[in-house]
Amino acid sequence: MNILIIGSGGREHALAWKCAQDQNVNKVFVAPGNGGTSLDQGIENLKIDIKNADSIANICNQNGIDLVIIGPEQPLVDGIVDDLQLKNINVFGPSAKASRLEGSKAFSKEFFKKYKIPTANYATFNDIESALDHLKDISFPTVIKADGLAAGKGVLICQTISEGKKALEEIFVDNAFGSAGNKVVIEDFLEGEEASFIAVVSGEEIIPLATSQDHKAAYDGDKGPNTGGMGAYSPAPIVTDELHKKIMDEVMSPTVKGLIAEGSSYLGFLYAGLMIKDDEINVLEFNCRFGDPETQPIMMRLESSLVELCLAAINNTLGSHQVRWSSNHACGVVIASEGYPGNYETDKEVIINNHSEDDVKLFHAGTKIQDNQLVTSGGRVFCATGTGADLATAQKNAYNLVSEISFEGAVNRKDIGNKGIS
Ligand code: AMP
Ligand code: GLY
């Protein structure tokens, strides 16, 4: 079989790496891919316009592609799956209608309310005046969220009313998030520990994948602005067996049933971002795709075939499908360009020292090959991922790998995984 992965991040490198190990897979194509996917054996980058369903369909027909997996949210929300299905392409991902769960926070909060899915109290506003008025009536900290897609950066946690005003001005006046900020959700601040609960969904069938925990804040100790994610580990010990069942019963099942009731049955990876406090769970957000960087440690632990899993979802045979996991733990540390999630420089030469490949994998994100040299091309540049019999060993292996990578302005959090090690 030949596989096509759409996207260019660390998530797509990890998905491609996993597919390339499959004995039934000849070739994995990634469009547009990154420096890492161009270097790995069995993987080839393709330069095509990933917004254009005709270009993707042509590539599929030319290369005998049996399965397309869409990585990032933007093409999903824009309806690439609907367009490819019309062209009879075998594609794994949700429709535009189902992807609204991530594409609009106002929509998703209303959906949670309608289907009694636990979440923070909230209100939605279309203009700055009424949003400012609302700030006078609430307690702080509060959370202000741009409605649309903002690469994980559209959520502002405000400690005081003046921070709240500043956030609203950024969104409504300075247009910091473009049209994603035409509406805002203002919701109660929730305390607790976060976990990422990601499943493969096909209609009512749900196969939960291994649990994981991301680190959204830019700096150590969960300080600084929110990012797309600075590191992740799997499994997440906070998700006990009891909580797992509760999440399936109170979050995942009502969500997939609600989607069916709304006429937007789900196919694809479905990701619930949860806040957990004791035995109380609340949904912070849903994503209509795999997490980045959660994919990287999760793929290191998946023993059975990712391709077979996606095909089972497409072919409505998920109910009888078995997934096997390694009992090992995995930990991924993001190496970013200094300044991320704000402005940062690119085109920095990368040096990767010779290192043991045992128990580690260096997933690339913002890298490219330029004049035969690997250079940086994005904010999140790598995810150095390690495995081990316990989280402490996986963490040590990941950080050993981090120490082998250098480029000007390389930064990384030093505490990825600490929360899972007691
Ligand atoms: P979201 O994109 O909605 O998941 O928000 C991004 C990040 O902001 C989350 O992963 C949390 O770290 C934080 N966050 C979002 N909503 C809340 C909330 N209601 N209370 C506390 N933190 C939140
Ligand atoms: N790591 C968080 C996300 O993928 O949204």
Side-chain angles (χ1 to χ4, degrees):
M1 280 188 290
N2 292 332
I3 314 294
L4 172 63
I5 313 272
I6 301 291
S8 62
R11 166 184 47 217
E12 288 75 27
H13 189 185
L15 295 173
W17 169 83
K18 178 65 192 164
C19 291
Q21 289 169 4
D22 204 304
Q23 57 191 20
N24 296 320
V25 169
N26 295 325
K27 191 77 178 262
V28 180
F29 296 93
V30 189
N34 58 37
T37 50
S38 74
L39 293 170
D40 271 11
Q41 274 210 334
I43 307 181
E44 185 180 324
N45 285 353
L46 292 174
K47 275 205 182 85
I48 49 166
D49 177 6
I50 61 162
K51 291 199 190 101
N52 185 327
D54 283 327
S55 313
I56 299 178
N58 286 342
I59 285 290
C60 289
N61 294 331
Q62 281 161 22
N63 294 287
I65 301 287
D66 300 284
L67 170 67
V68 182
I69 303 176
I70 313 289
E73 58 276 21
Q74 190 71 58
L76 292 167
V77 170
D78 292 345
I80 196 74
V81 168
D82 311 66
D83 293 346
L84 289 175
Q85 277 171 345
L86 284 178
K87 296 175 192 300
N88 293 319
I89 302 292
N90 221 14
V91 56
F92 181 74
S95 65
K97 207 171 166 199
S99 304
R100 280 182 304 169
L101 217 42
E102 175 167 8
S104 165
K105 297 221 186 261
F107 170 83
S108 65
K109 293 294 284 190
E110 220 166 284
F111 179 92
F112 299 158
K113 200 156 108 187
K114 183 166 175 189
Y115 293 99
K116 300 191 170 49
I117 294 157
T119 192
N121 287 328
Y122 75 103
T124 303
F125 301 93
N126 296 310
D127 62 85
I128 188 162
E129 290 78 21
S130 47
L132 283 170
D133 264 354
H134 179 72
L135 292 187
K136 293 181 197 145
D137 303 331
I138 57 173
S139 57
F140 287 82
T142 195
V143 186
I144 301 186
K145 301 183 172 187
D147 176 53
L149 295 180
K153 298 164 207 159
V155 173
L156 303 156
I157 296 174
C158 307
Q159 302 296 334
T160 60
I161 190 159
S162 69
E163 281 185 26
K165 282 183 186 158
K166 200 167 145 250
L168 288 173
E169 276 161 13
E170 256 177 60
I171 296 175
F172 280 115
V173 182
D174 306 339
N175 274 323
F177 306 109
S179 61
N182 286 351
K183 241 188 236 179
V184 296
V185 167
I186 303 184
E187 70 176 36
D188 291 352
F189 177 82
L190 296 172
E191 283 179 31
E193 199 170 321
E194 284 181 58
S196 307
F197 196 94
I198 303 169
V200 167
V201 171
S202 169
E204 270 202 59
E205 299 291 347
I206 308 168
I207 293 202
L209 302 179
T211 57
S212 59
Q213 195 171 106
D214 185 16
H215 298 65
K216 293 260 167 61
Y219 313 130
D220 286 0
D222 292 335
K223 301 278 189 321
N226 265 331
T227 68
M230 295 300 289
Y233 59 90
S234 172
I238 185 161
V239 183
T240 57
D241 289 349
E242 270 175 349
L243 271 181
H244 197 282
K245 182 172 183 318
K246 195 168 164 154
I247 295 164
M248 287 297 283
D249 292 347
E250 295 177 16
V251 175
M252 302 306 282
S253 285
T255 298
V256 302
K257 286 185 185 137
L259 284 163
I260 291 170
E262 298 289 318
S264 47
S265 178
Y266 201 93
L267 169 71
F269 299 115
L270 182 61
Y271 165 147
L274 304 169
M275 187 66 92
I276 300 175
K277 189 152 189 263
D278 305 322
D279 61 353
E280 196 189 320
I281 42 171
N282 274 292
V283 178
L284 296 176
E285 64 165 344
F286 263 107
N287 294 320
C288 58
R289 50 170 174 83
F290 224 128
D292 189 344
E294 292 94 326
T295 311
Q296 292 84 318
I298 291 177
M299 284 302 114
M300 294 279 277
R301 300 187 56 226
L302 178 60
E303 284 182 343
S304 48
S305 163
L306 175 66
V307 173
E308 296 302 329
L309 178 60
C310 296
L311 289 175
I314 292 174
N315 297 328
N316 289 317
T317 56
L318 214 48
S320 56
H321 196 82
Q322 297 290 325
V323 177
R324 283 192 324 280
W325 297 99
S326 158
S327 59
N328 272 346
H329 294 238
C331 179
V333 178
V334 168
I335 310 176
S337 303
E338 191 174 8
Y340 172 79
N343 296 333
Y344 52 82
E345 293 180 7
T346 57
D347 295 327
K348 305 293 179 194
E349 278 192 15
V350 179
I351 295 166
I352 303 177
N353 296 331
N354 278 334
H355 57 269
S356 157
E357 302 277 336
D358 293 344
D359 304 322
V360 294
K361 172 70 190 171
L362 183 64
F363 292 112
H364 292 226
T367 68
K368 64 177 180 189
I369 308 283
Q370 190 170 271
D371 303 328
N372 287 324
Q373 166 67 43
L374 186 70
V375 299
T376 66
S377 62
R380 292 190 292 175
V381 181
F382 294 103
C383 182
T385 310
T387 59
D390 51 39
L391 180 54
T393 312
Q395 183 193 48
K396 184 165 84 37
N397 288 335
Y399 276 104
N400 282 344
L401 180 56
V402 170
S403 69
E404 303 295 348
I405 317 299
S406 54
F407 58 88
E408 191 192 322
V411 291
N412 64 269
R413 278 182 61 160
K414 308 286 187 290
D415 61 349
I416 303 300
N418 282 1
K419 266 190 228 163
I421 302 170
S422 42

